[in-house]
Amino acid sequence: MDFEKRKIIAGLTGLAAAILFIGMLFFLGLDDRFASHGKFSSTFIESVQGLTVGSPVKYRGVPIGSGSEIIIRTTDKR
């Protein structure tokens, strides 16, 4: 094998390794399997006008998630 073919093979191998490395970074960074999850509920007596599914949820001013469900309890008007 001559020198030019070796350079091409080495370059393609390095490029494939770089693409694989970047792909793994995206996979591990965007995957939710490593994030902690919890389910919490709140009950309000007053108006919550503007509340929608997907609204940001904050704890002491720090964003911690988003609302996933809105339920209206008609039995006790809450």
Side-chain angles (χ1 to χ4, degrees):
M1 206 183 272
D2 65 343
F3 186 67
E4 289 297 319
K5 286 184 181 179
R6 287 184 186 175
K7 283 178 28 179
I8 292 172
I9 291 173
L12 290 175
T13 303
L15 181 63
I19 290 172
L20 183 64
F21 178 71
I22 291 171
M24 289 301 294
L25 286 178
F26 277 111
F27 173 73
L28 293 175
L30 299 176
D31 195 11
D32 282 340
R33 283 187 283 176
F34 303 109
S36 58
H37 297 276
K39 192 169 188 172
F40 301 93
S41 65
S42 295
T43 304
F44 301 96
I45 297 172
E46 67 276 354
S47 172
V48 288
Q49 182 178 2
L51 181 66
T52 61
V53 173
S55 293
V57 175
K58 293 182 179 182
Y59 178 70
R60 295 185 179 181
V62 178
I64 60 169
S66 61
S68 61
E69 186 177 21
I70 298 174
I71 298 172
I72 300 173
R73 293 186 346 198
T74 58
T75 56
D76 53 3
K77 297 185 181 180
R78 293 183 181 198

